[in-house]
Amino acid sequence: MTPMSATAREPVTPPAWQTELARGFRRPAELLEALALDPGLLPAAEAGHRDFPVRVPRGFVRRMRPGDPNDPLLRQVLPLAAEQTEAPDFGADPVGDLAAQQAPGVLHKYHGRALLVATGACAINCRYCFRRHFPYGDAHAARDAWQPALAYLRHQSGLREVILSGGDPLTLPDRRLGPLAGELAAIPHLVRLRVHSRLPVVLPERVDDELLAWLAGTRLQPVMVLHANHANELDGEVASACRRLREAGVQLLNQAVLLRGINDTADAQSELSERLFTLGVLPYYLHQLDRVAGATHFLVPEDEARELAAALAARLPGYLVPQLMREDAGAPAKTPLTTARHG
Ligand SMILES: *Cc1c(COP(=O)(O)O)cnc(C)c1O
Ligand code: SF4
């Protein structure tokens, strides 16, 4: 053993992004206070917080408009009384992921690509997320937890691409992700490494030299699918994080969730697409909401979603129109709503 060798040495101080992650708001009261909002919102916020805790990085809060309870970024993270509304078709595992694991942490549902749930942790708790029903914690990230998953991926010679997902894979430190990328690069049939992460948007400090080193250094072609739902999420710091990722050779795409009262207008969607493109990010998917209990108030009905997609196609170049998608349990791919009409 050479515990002090240059490559294996633990950093003396934690990276800056970890400090920023730890400083995030974790109580409804601090969020309301920081934004000078009506304390009357607190009881409902506390009720939702007991089901799924409030969690939001400070930098994301700085992009919200003080005093505006309808701010599109705030609405994604502040629990409202409407979360207590129950609906029979809104459950705990709407896309059947619990049943679909091929090896611990591996979801291989679609041809040629498999998704690795690298961690259950996230930097932010979005109120519409399916994670609200699984108290994942960080258990997934145990040191050797990936070995059975890697064995499965090595065995599946039809795979071209592995998707690191979660939770948010970039909540893991680079001293774990770098070696994981190395193990994946050693699997000969893989050609791409995709990362699904909201961190470059909600915590742009995450895009540091250590992250860029393993992304730029892998044999695999790196793709990152960001998650931004509104143009206001994309400030100057996010822009420079995106620039650094692109300079490292990472292809950037974005997926958004269609959310009532947040991004359900053609104006909001066009602004998002235009802003993404100035950052060098192409709009990829616009997801119909997963029907998770507690998120009924975010639903945009499918007919309306289709109309919105048509309105976007009528006013934007094709490369700025995200594909409107729905996820159906058991289907061989996500379902595009603009081409596969039923009825
Ligand atoms: C969404 C998803 C993918 C990726 O699908 P693409 O259409 O390639 O973006 C892969 N595996 C699973 C299990 C998924 O849910
Ligand atoms: S960042 Fe993604 S995985 Fe994390 S809480 Fe938000 S929607 Fe869920």
Side-chain angles (χ1 to χ4, degrees):
M1 294 295 284
T2 52
M4 294 305 288
S5 80
T7 50
R9 191 177 53 207
E10 299 273 328
V12 180
T13 49
W17 67 266
Q18 282 184 348
T19 310
E20 200 49 38
L21 181 65
R23 287 180 67 240
F25 290 126
R26 289 165 181 269
R27 290 189 303 117
E30 2 174 53
L31 186 55
L32 295 180
E33 230 169 84
L35 293 164
L37 286 165
D38 180 1
L41 294 164
L42 192 57
E46 290 287 0
H49 175 69
R50 281 191 287 276
D51 291 341
F52 182 50
V54 163
R55 177 159 204 200
V56 50
R58 285 169 192 253
F60 196 71
V61 176
R62 282 197 292 274
R63 296 170 224 161
M64 298 175 185
R65 293 184 294 256
D68 182 359
N70 294 318
D71 178 90
L73 279 56
L74 176 71
R75 287 284 316 277
Q76 296 181 52
V77 297
L78 179 69
L80 301 181
E83 287 192 9
Q84 310 306 323
T85 306
E86 290 177 20
D89 54 340
F90 281 67
D93 184 21
V95 293
D97 274 353
L98 288 185
Q101 293 197 35
Q102 276 74 15
V106 177
L107 292 171
H108 184 191
K109 297 202 287 192
Y110 304 156
H111 181 79
R113 59 245 198 250
L115 192 147
L116 182 60
V117 181
T119 174
C122 244
I124 186 167
N125 283 343
C126 308
R127 306 311 300 176
Y128 43 83
C129 182
F130 64 91
R131 285 179 65 251
R132 59 181 299 147
H133 302 291
F134 304 107
Y136 280 129
D138 297 318
H140 270 284
R143 197 146 291 267
D144 294 316
W146 293 325
Q147 287 313 323
L150 287 165
Y152 175 85
L153 300 172
R154 273 182 212 114
H155 199 68
Q156 294 288 313
S157 56
L159 285 175
R160 291 289 167 272
E161 176 172 9
V162 168
I163 304 169
L164 301 185
S165 182
D168 197 310
L170 296 188
T171 56
L172 294 172
D174 297 307
R175 69 185 143 76
R176 304 226 40 231
L177 290 170
L180 175 61
E183 299 230 44
L184 292 170
I187 300 176
H189 46 267
L190 295 181
V191 297
R192 283 185 302 281
L193 176 59
R194 194 196 313 184
V195 179
H196 280 183
S197 177
R198 189 145 159 71
L199 260 79
V201 173
V202 302
L203 196 88
E205 296 86 345
R206 179 65 185 91
V207 182
D208 62 8
D209 292 342
E210 286 69 32
L211 174 68
L212 296 169
W214 64 261
L215 279 172
T218 175
R219 162 188 82 77
L220 302 168
Q221 197 175 355
V223 181
M224 194 175 288
V225 182
L226 306 176
H227 172 189
N229 298 314
H230 192 279
N232 292 2
E233 294 175 39
L234 306 170
D235 69 356
E237 286 177 49
V238 179
S240 53
C242 289
R243 183 171 33 75
R244 301 188 75 203
L245 286 165
R246 282 187 293 116
E247 284 167 1
V250 181
Q251 172 73 56
L252 294 179
L253 305 171
N254 184 65
Q255 54 186 344
V257 181
L258 182 56
L259 297 166
R260 174 63 91 207
I262 293 171
N263 61 9
D264 56 343
T265 64
D267 281 346
Q269 286 293 332
S270 322
E271 262 177 61
L272 174 60
S273 282
E274 297 272 5
R275 179 78 183 131
L276 284 166
F277 193 72
T278 63
L279 270 50
V281 184
L282 284 172
Y284 178 45
Y285 282 166
L286 176 59
H287 294 279
Q288 261 303 86
L289 185 76
D290 288 335
R291 292 174 178 252
V292 295
T296 56
H297 56 298
F298 288 117
L299 184 71
V300 176
E302 255 181 38
D303 285 350
E304 199 183 322
R306 283 200 174 94
E307 277 170 32
L308 177 61
L312 281 181
R315 65 194 259 184
L316 290 173
Y319 60 88
L320 289 189
V321 181
Q323 273 203 76
L324 179 64
M325 304 303 267
R326 183 183 66 203
E327 191 160 345
D328 297 322
K334 296 189 205 328
T335 311
L337 286 181
T338 40
T339 51
R341 283 171 194 273
H342 303 286

